[in-house]
Amino acid sequence: MKTAIAALIVMTAYSMTINSQNMEPSTITLPSEQLTITHDWDKVFPKSDKVDHRKVTFPNRYGITLVADLYVPKNATGPLPAIAVCGPFGAVKEQSSGLYAQEMAERGFISLAFDPSFTGESGGQPRYMTSPDINTEDFSAAVDFLVTNPMVKPGAVGIIGICGWGGLAINAAASDPRIKATVASTMYDMSRVNSNGYFDVADSVEERSKTREALASQRTEDFKTGKPKLGGGVPDVLPEEAPKFLRDYYDYYKTKRGYHVRSLNSNGGRNATSAIPWINFPLMSRAGEIETAVMVIHGEKAHSFYFGSDAYKKLTVTPGKENNKLFMAIPGASHTDLYDKKDIIPFDSLEVFFNEYL
């Protein structure tokens, strides 16, 4: 009994009072989470002189405090439409999402780039965890912050999800009608890739059973050690046979172009058991019920192109709004080209889209 209690104390890191003789109700004191927030400019892109910037915090529905960068056009007057941005999956707001947010602020939108739960400067324990439910909720929490902000035009909030957060953005739009316009850029379907492998090569009961066995074994080890193992980010040294998309990731996450000290992909990666919920909980199952505007943009040469094109096929055109579901293929562009290459990312089209539907 004492051994079991000791293991539980180690795993939870909570202060517990337990009567081991009669097992009367115990008191558990949860530690208050202290966040470390950097106010210096530590982005991987230059600061714009056309935009005011500050850090903000807000809670999600699960009580996790999210930290975000708020970008506001300089000398803004009157309520403005607003956009919340997140992604890529495993990145932080100092990378691609911040670049998107700052660019959209230059174009007249109040923009919010946030770190998701368990990641970057945001709260949540254990660190580097992912969840289809909580991460979808993170988008709605950002919407909570924006729709209650007096600077934001009522009823004029949209979202942008990049890479794995593209699928989460569509998922959020399906559940939250306050989101009036959604962009999924160079998107991944994280449920599909975790369940089926890349290009669906492991889409079988046998392969998923192998994956579940490996994840269950790792979960046991994590419980024994009291510390979740990280799955590893982009490798420090590329194997000679590395496919092009891995080389593209390396070129972004491991070089001066995109490396950031808090980025999971640039460093140790996500929790090794992160795939568990994604296998059983498919994203975008209600995508066909989204009545608001959705725009999917994808690089024509991206290894992930099939995620975006198949997600678009799930969308249903709203009667009377025949143009509110859009797909844009960017000629010659790879997956990571849409992370930060401003001459390739179709910001003009994003501006037109959001101006029309916000």
Side-chain angles (χ1 to χ4, degrees), residues 33-50:
E33 191 169 26
Q34 294 185 341
L35 305 181
T36 301
I37 301 176
T38 301
H39 293 281
D40 295 333
W41 186 267
D42 63 347
K43 324 301 183 194
V44 301
F45 51 89
K47 187 175 183 179
S48 171
D49 59 5
K50 301 176 183 178

Side-chain angles (χ1 to χ4, degrees), residues 240-252:
E240 291 184 6
E241 68 280 8
K244 182 182 183 302
F245 73 87
L246 183 56
R247 295 180 182 278
D248 288 344
Y249 283 138
Y250 183 93
D251 187 53
Y252 182 76

Side-chain angles (χ1 to χ4, degrees), residues 6-23:
L8 183 59
I9 292 173
V10 171
M11 279 302 299
T12 60
Y14 296 156
S15 174
M16 305 180 66
T17 302
I18 299 177
N19 186 323
S20 61
Q21 293 182 344
N22 56 20
M23 295 304 292

Side-chain angles (χ1 to χ4, degrees), residues 19-349:
N19 186 323
S20 61
Q21 293 182 344
N22 56 20
M23 295 304 292
E24 293 178 354
S26 60
T27 300
I28 301 176
T29 303
L30 302 179
S32 58
E33 191 169 26
Q34 294 185 341
L35 305 181
T36 301
I37 301 176
T38 301
H39 293 281
D40 295 333
W41 186 267
D42 63 347
K43 324 301 183 194
V44 301
F45 51 89
K47 187 175 183 179
S48 171
D49 59 5
K50 301 176 183 178
V51 173
D52 290 323
H53 160 268
R54 63 186 174 92
K55 291 285 180 74
V56 298
T57 62
F58 51 90
N60 69 12
R61 193 164 53 90
Y62 294 96
I64 298 170
T65 299
L66 303 185
V67 180
D69 287 300
L70 184 67
Y71 298 89
V72 180
K74 279 190 180 295
N75 305 315
T77 58
L80 297 175
I83 303 168
V85 192
C86 196
F89 206 75
V92 288
K93 63 188 182 304
E94 288 74 23
Q95 296 173 305
S96 182
S97 62
L99 181 145
Y100 271 69
Q102 180 174 262
E103 178 68 24
M104 297 311 295
E106 286 187 349
R107 294 166 181 265
F109 301 87
I110 291 173
S111 300
L112 186 76
F114 64 90
D115 281 333
S117 296
F118 316 111
T119 304
E121 293 182 314
S122 288
Q125 293 290 338
R127 303 305 293 165
Y128 317 131
M129 184 59 73
T130 65
S131 163
D133 182 19
I134 296 175
N135 291 151
T136 299
E137 158 62 21
D138 288 341
F139 260 128
S140 286
V143 173
D144 291 339
F145 174 84
L146 292 172
V147 298
T148 58
N149 192 313
M151 296 189 300
V152 174
K153 178 182 175 183
V157 172
I159 62 175
I160 299 174
I162 306 162
C163 186
W165 281 83
L168 284 160
I170 293 175
N171 211 49
S175 65
D176 192 339
R178 299 174 302 170
I179 299 168
K180 303 303 181 184
T182 301
V183 168
S185 177
T186 192
M187 67 157 285
Y188 262 48
D189 179 341
M190 295 307 299
S191 292
R192 183 174 177 181
V193 73
N194 279 296
S195 298
N196 303 346
Y198 279 106
F199 312 111
D200 300 323
V201 296
D203 185 13
S204 69
V205 174
E206 293 77 15
E207 291 299 323
R208 276 187 287 277
S209 293
K210 292 178 184 177
T211 299
R212 291 187 184 103
E213 288 288 347
L215 291 169
S217 177
Q218 184 59 56
R219 182 168 180 157
T220 301
E221 287 302 311
D222 289 351
F223 191 87
K224 288 178 180 178
T225 62
K227 183 178 181 180
K229 178 184 177 181
L230 296 181
V234 176
D236 292 330
V237 178
L238 279 174
E240 291 184 6
E241 68 280 8
K244 182 182 183 302
F245 73 87
L246 183 56
R247 295 180 182 278
D248 288 344
Y249 283 138
Y250 183 93
D251 187 53
Y252 182 76
Y253 286 110
K254 289 294 189 177
T255 69
K256 185 178 179 181
R257 172 185 166 195
Y259 177 85
H260 196 276
V261 66
R262 289 191 294 275
S263 170
L264 281 64
N265 293 340
S266 291
N267 299 286
R270 297 181 290 276
N271 188 302
T273 60
S274 288
I276 290 173
W278 302 92
I279 294 173
N280 286 344
F281 295 94
L283 289 179
M284 301 180 286
S285 61
R286 301 294 183 190
E289 299 178 11
I290 299 173
E291 297 182 358
T292 53
V294 180
M295 181 180 188
V296 179
I297 62 175
H298 225 113
E300 180 188 39
K301 300 297 184 181
H303 70 281
S304 53
F305 185 85
Y306 70 106
F307 290 130
S309 59
D310 287 357
Y312 176 71
K313 294 171 187 175
K314 294 176 180 284
L315 304 174
T316 302
V317 174
T318 306
K321 300 178 181 179
E322 282 71 21
N323 297 318
N324 78 342
K325 302 295 189 296
L326 306 171
F327 183 84
M328 178 180 289
I330 311 303
S334 71
H335 180 83
T336 56
D337 284 343
L338 298 187
Y339 280 10
D340 65 338
K341 294 188 176 179
K342 293 173 65 173
D343 58 331
I344 295 177
I345 301 168
F347 281 119
D348 289 344
S349 297

